[in-house]
Amino acid sequence: LLRRPGIWLVIAFALIFKLDVAALEPMMRPFWVDRGLSLEEIGGALTLARTLATVGGAVIGGVLTTRWGIRRALWALGAVQACSALGYWAAATFFAGQAAVFGAAIFENFAAGLATAAYLAYLMSLCERRFAATQFALLSALLAVTRSVAGAASGSLAEHLGYSTYFLITFLVGLPAFLLIPFLSRVARPPEPAAG
């Protein structure tokens, strides 16, 4: 896999495509609490709604990826994912009430589900059938690296910059991935060996 031409482009894309979500996630719960949501609301209605939104987004994202193709889906669904951070930015900037916070949270999960369907479909399209499980595990593990790096700095940045600026930054860090999408077609899965 690492000897494949252009694989470092894929690795860079895999690391940054969901960087915006990875940076956003650690500061969601503190933001909810600071905006007056009780632990019961967070653990009950909000958690259920977010789970349903994620599942719904993943299902719809899978359907759209099948219809549109992977590259078009990465563009469109990735753009929805990036814009989901703006919901939190608006709620923080305009001191919106709890309904707006709920809305931002649900939309973010729905958008993340949409984009994840396209993201995983792209990673799967790169895997050779003989090594599919190993290669997919390695590529998808890059998301854990992104989460670890983004999570390590999130609290300190949010404390120094404030929620509004921090959420705007999470939107901006999602944009560089779109610069790489036009070049992803250069990295193709090698031909499978003939059976038998």
Side-chain angles (χ1 to χ4, degrees), residues 14 18 35-36 63 65 68 75 83 97 99 118-119 121 140 160 168 172 182 194:
K18 295 187 77 65
R35 287 298 182 267
V63 171
T65 300
W68 293 345
W75 277 106
C83 289
Y119 175 76
S140 58
H160 287 91
L168 184 59
L172 295 175

Side-chain angles (χ1 to χ4, degrees), residues 44-62:
L46 187 55
T47 298
L48 176 60
R50 291 178 69 226
T51 301
L52 293 174
T54 301
V55 172
V59 170
I60 294 171

Side-chain angles (χ1 to χ4, degrees), residues 18-153:
K18 295 187 77 65
L19 181 58
D20 50 351
V21 175
L24 187 62
E25 282 180 351
M27 296 314 302
M28 289 179 187
R29 192 172 298 267
F31 180 66
W32 299 336
V33 172
D34 288 348
R35 287 298 182 267
L37 272 66
S38 68
L39 295 179
E40 291 76 16
E41 289 172 319
I42 293 172
L46 187 55
T47 298
L48 176 60
R50 291 178 69 226
T51 301
L52 293 174
T54 301
V55 172
V59 170
I60 294 171
V63 171
L64 293 176
T65 300
T66 301
R67 289 183 181 176
W68 293 345
I70 292 174
R71 284 195 49 208
R72 183 178 173 196
L74 286 172
W75 277 106
L77 305 182
V80 176
Q81 173 184 268
C83 289
S84 68
L86 296 178
Y88 275 99
W89 168 79
T93 301
F94 303 109
F95 301 99
Q98 290 187 2
V101 176
F102 265 84
I106 293 167
F107 176 64
E108 185 277 327
N109 277 83
F110 177 74
L114 287 174
T116 297
Y119 175 76
L120 294 181
Y122 173 66
L123 296 185
M124 285 188 284
S125 75
L126 297 171
C127 299
E128 299 168 68
R129 190 175 297 114
R130 293 176 299 162
F131 312 115
T134 301
Q135 290 180 351
F136 183 74
L138 287 170
L139 290 170
S140 58
L142 296 173
L143 184 55
V145 174
T146 300
R147 285 180 175 151
S148 298
V149 172

Side-chain angles (χ1 to χ4, degrees), residues 171-195:
F171 164 71
L172 295 175
V173 299
L175 300 182
F178 293 96
L179 299 176
L180 300 179
I181 293 176
F183 304 101
L184 294 179
S185 59
R186 298 180 183 177
V187 187
R189 181 172 59 192
E192 298 287 349

